[in-house]
Amino acid sequence: MELCKEYKSMCLNESRENSAENFELDFQENLPQYLDDIDRVIKCSVNSVVTNYDMSDSKLTIHGKTIICFTYMNKDSCILSNIFEEEFTKSVDIDNAELVSFADIRLNTKYSSFRLINQRRIDVHTSLCAHICVYRKNTGKCLTNCKNAFTRQMTMDCLINKNAGICSAEFDESFSISESGSQIKNIVNTYSICYLEDTKIIKDKMLVKLKVEASVLYVNDDNSLEKCTHSFSISKIIDVSDSQENDKAIINAQISSIYIKSKSGSNDVLNELELVGTVAISYQICSVCSHEFITDSYMPHFNTNIIKEKLSLKKSPVYYNDDRSDELIFESERNIIEVIDLKPSIEACVIKQSVMHLTVNLSLLYYDDSSQLCSYEKTAEISFKLSDTECEGEGSASIISFDFVIKSADKISLRLNYTYNAFLYTKQSIDYLTDIEVSGEKSSLNIPELTLYFANESEDVWDIAKNFSTDMSLIMQENNLSSQIIENKMVVLVPGM
């Protein structure tokens, strides 16, 4: 018997591989010739970001950059600094790399350390963890209709990860340090951080607006420490295939390259700074769509073979987007007399069982009770529940503003104002029909017009109808059933066809 069937293409990006890859990096850094020898190290901070990735020969290769900010004193107690940038690659084995649509990669720094080798060289060690989710496009077909057969359909709201990628936005800013007439003798320290200000998605494009804040600590011509701050906005238009206006974006932005130098202003006084750098932007484009699947089918009085495929979906997604404030307490090993410069940053965002976990890093320069310039870098956790239902999820967070107070000699209270967005969902694997075939009539057609059946609690009328090769609607009509699921044990009258 020839069946009248209709099909549609799936075209869904399916999360197929999740892994956490740990790796370590070692760098040897030598001071430039124009800098003096090291007498005492004040600060050595290390930050790593993903700048790109590629896939070939069953490997995913991560390309990244590590920024090392180094501040020290020479033998004359002058404070000097330098920024080192190092590139790195890490390859991860994956199956069928040629079939991968895209990958979402999040990089977390587990710890960093340094060792002073001599007065001109430091060795830096950092341990990283790359959280990788690989998406493959399901390009197969699924059955949407078969006029000769009964079909069982499922409709499900799903979170669709349309696209993900990494791109960069460059900046080049010049600004004056002050109007007091002081000059820059040498730069001591630079803190820079990137905040997400706005995102707008239209068809096949996304506009990302970022705010960069930089604080520069320098020694003036009176050999005193001064600080200047500068903030500016940058925008990036990203080509994103298949994006639509109602889609949502999960974005992380980090400084991936920075170079700062002093220069003369209009009056030939060394009182201007030039800031050149790059921001690495990683993004995911998500949408909520309703999908229909045929999960079962049969034809009364005929032997039917159904062909199924398995699909993993993120069902019943709920979107969260809000601002929040939290207080964190950081304890120092030394007494903090005066904070010279301070910068918080959100290093990681993870969602487990509907709880969003943020890792906040605090870096600061301060004077201790012996008037010695010291550095401090430590992380703390913020956790809060998004829903009482335990779900999986993915999201991001970005700082809006912050302030701090010295609570005691060794404690700093940081008030962090930030914005976050997230999707919560439940993962479900379903079997859907790709095709149905008829292999001939059933051997026995002596089916009674009415059959008594002892149904169990929670039994599905669909299964009863399929077993007796009849119509489910006839069973429900004959037994005055309002629900397809039988609530209690009962005798069911099964009409034949």
Side-chain angles (χ1 to χ4, degrees):
M1 180 178 181
E2 186 176 348
L3 299 178
C4 183
K5 298 179 287 187
E6 296 176 5
Y7 304 90
K8 72 174 181 181
S9 177
M10 293 295 291
C11 291
L12 293 175
N13 293 313
E14 190 176 1
S15 172
R16 297 300 295 271
E17 290 184 41
N18 283 277
S19 62
E21 299 291 333
N22 296 301
F23 59 99
E24 298 183 348
L25 301 174
D26 291 291
F27 305 108
Q28 295 180 353
E29 306 297 348
N30 294 292
L31 291 180
Q33 290 185 351
Y34 61 83
L35 287 178
D36 295 338
D37 290 350
I38 302 166
D39 184 64
R40 181 177 72 87
V41 176
I42 298 173
K43 186 197 79 167
C44 183
S45 64
V46 184
N47 183 47
S48 300
V49 298
V50 178
T51 57
N52 206 348
Y53 71 89
D54 56 65
M55 289 170 288
S56 62
D57 300 327
S58 296
K59 286 188 180 297
L60 183 148
T61 302
I62 301 170
H63 304 280
K65 186 171 286 188
T66 298
I67 302 175
I68 303 166
C69 297
F70 185 62
T71 303
Y72 69 98
M73 277 189 175
N74 65 9
K75 63 180 181 179
D76 297 323
S77 297
C78 292
I79 306 172
L80 304 170
S81 68
N82 196 62
I83 297 175
F84 304 96
E85 293 184 3
E86 297 282 357
E87 295 182 349
F88 65 87
T89 59
K90 170 65 177 177
S91 293
V92 179
D93 293 330
I94 59 173
D95 296 328
N96 302 318
E98 66 277 4
L99 302 178
V100 172
S101 299
F102 54 84
D104 180 44
I105 305 169
R106 308 289 179 92
L107 192 65
N108 295 338
T109 300
K110 296 169 67 178
Y111 66 88
S112 299
S113 61
F114 73 93
R115 184 174 59 160
L116 188 63
I117 302 302
N118 56 44
Q119 292 178 314
R120 306 292 302 175
R121 174 185 150 186
I122 58 168
D123 285 0
V124 176
H125 175 83
T126 184
S127 178
L128 307 173
C129 180
H131 299 273
I132 304 167
C133 183
V134 173
Y135 291 85
R136 290 187 171 89
K137 188 173 288 294
N138 187 327
T139 56
K141 66 177 183 178
C142 69
L143 184 70
T144 58
N145 192 23
C146 183
K147 294 182 180 179
N148 315 72
F150 292 118
T151 57
R152 186 178 195 177
Q153 289 192 332
M154 173 189 291
T155 301
M156 185 183 296
D157 287 337
C158 308
L159 178 66
I160 305 301
N161 298 82
K162 284 187 168 183
N163 210 328
I166 301 169
C167 63
S168 61
E170 297 180 347
F171 57 86
D172 188 344
E173 290 280 316
S174 294
F175 55 97
S176 299
I177 57 172
S178 66
E179 298 179 357
S180 63
S182 62
Q183 296 191 70
I184 302 169
K185 188 174 181 180
N186 61 275
I187 296 170
V188 171
N189 185 66
T190 304
Y191 280 144
S192 58
I193 191 169
C194 186
Y195 307 145
L196 179 65
E197 283 193 313
D198 193 20
T199 306
K200 185 174 180 60
I201 301 175
I202 59 174
K203 182 174 174 55
D204 297 330
K205 290 189 183 295
M206 176 172 65
L207 171 66
V208 178
K209 187 176 181 181
L210 305 169
K211 182 180 180 182
V212 178
E213 287 189 359
S215 63
V216 182
L217 196 65
Y218 62 92
V219 176
N220 62 20
D221 43 9
D222 293 328
N223 290 321
S224 300
L225 280 179
E226 288 190 8
K227 186 178 81 170
C228 66
T229 59
H230 181 64
S231 63
F232 55 93
S233 296
I234 57 176
S235 298
K236 176 74 175 183
I237 297 177
I238 306 170
D239 293 326
V240 184
S241 60
D242 300 328
S243 66
Q244 301 292 334
E245 188 173 348
N246 292 328
D247 293 344
K248 305 294 184 184
I250 297 174
I251 295 176
N252 287 278
Q254 290 181 285
I255 304 291
S256 61
S257 176
I258 190 165
Y259 173 73
I260 188 164
K261 69 175 182 179
S262 56
K263 65 178 185 178
S264 299
S266 56
N267 54 357
D268 291 331
V269 176
L270 205 64
N271 63 353
E272 288 193 1
L273 291 166
E274 183 178 11
L275 192 68
V276 180
T278 307
V279 177
I281 305 168
S282 65
Y283 61 89
Q284 270 200 80
I285 307 297
C286 305
S287 68
V288 178
C289 301
S290 180
H291 283 275
E292 292 185 351
F293 304 94
I294 293 178
T295 58
D296 200 4
S297 182
Y298 68 94
M299 183 176 294
H301 311 310
F302 285 88
N303 295 314
T304 53
N305 297 321
I306 57 175
I307 303 169
K308 292 186 175 184
E309 290 286 345
K310 193 173 289 293
L311 181 66
S312 178
L313 293 172
K314 301 172 181 178
K315 75 168 188 176
S316 306
V318 180
Y319 182 67
Y320 296 84
N321 184 17
D322 203 357
D323 296 343
R324 185 179 167 94
S325 295
D326 281 294
E327 182 183 16
L328 293 169
I329 302 296
F330 291 87
E331 295 187 9
S332 172
E333 294 179 357
R334 298 188 179 188
N335 289 337
I336 301 171
I337 302 303
E338 180 185 0
V339 173
I340 304 301
D341 207 1
L342 177 147
K343 182 205 75 172
S345 60
I346 296 176
E347 299 292 315
C349 175
V350 178
I351 298 175
K352 294 181 179 179
Q353 298 178 334
S354 297
V355 178
M356 178 172 275
H357 303 273
L358 302 179
T359 303
V360 178
N361 182 79
L362 180 67
S363 298
L364 68 91
L365 287 175
Y366 66 96
Y367 283 119
D368 66 5
D369 46 13
S370 63
S371 299
Q372 183 169 270
L373 186 62
C374 305
S375 69
Y376 172 94
E377 188 163 350
K378 198 171 183 179
T379 60
E381 299 291 328
I382 296 175
S383 298
F384 56 94
K385 183 174 286 190
L386 296 171
S387 170
D388 291 332
T389 305
E390 290 190 359
C391 300
E392 297 186 56
E394 49 205 67
S396 63
S398 180
I399 295 173
I400 299 172
S401 62
F402 66 90
D403 56 43
F404 70 93
V405 294
I406 301 176
K407 298 281 286 187
S408 62
D410 60 347
K411 289 182 182 179
I412 285 183
S413 172
L414 175 70
R415 170 63 62 174
L416 201 64
N417 305 309
Y418 58 96
T419 183
Y420 67 89
N421 65 337
F423 272 105
L424 293 186
Y425 51 80
T426 303
K427 279 193 174 181
Q428 180 172 331
S429 181
I430 67 167
D431 294 320
Y432 66 95
L433 264 65
T434 60
D435 213 342
I436 182 173
E437 299 172 349
V438 173
S439 58
E441 294 187 51
K442 290 187 176 180
S443 57
S444 176
L445 296 179
N446 298 320
I447 301 175
E449 292 184 2
L450 196 65
T451 304
L452 293 177
Y453 176 73
F454 294 90
N456 292 316
E457 181 183 351
S458 301
E459 194 165 354
D460 197 320
V461 178
W462 167 272
D463 296 324
I464 299 172
K466 182 179 180 180
N467 184 50
F468 284 94
S469 197
T470 188
D471 188 344
M472 183 180 71
S473 62
L474 294 177
I475 298 176
M476 296 189 69
Q477 182 179 352
E478 183 71 29
N479 295 273
N480 294 320
L481 296 174
S482 59
S483 173
Q484 188 175 320
I485 304 299
I486 295 173
E487 295 181 359
N488 301 301
K489 289 185 178 182
M490 63 178 292
V491 177
V492 177
L493 299 177
V494 182
M497 285 186 65

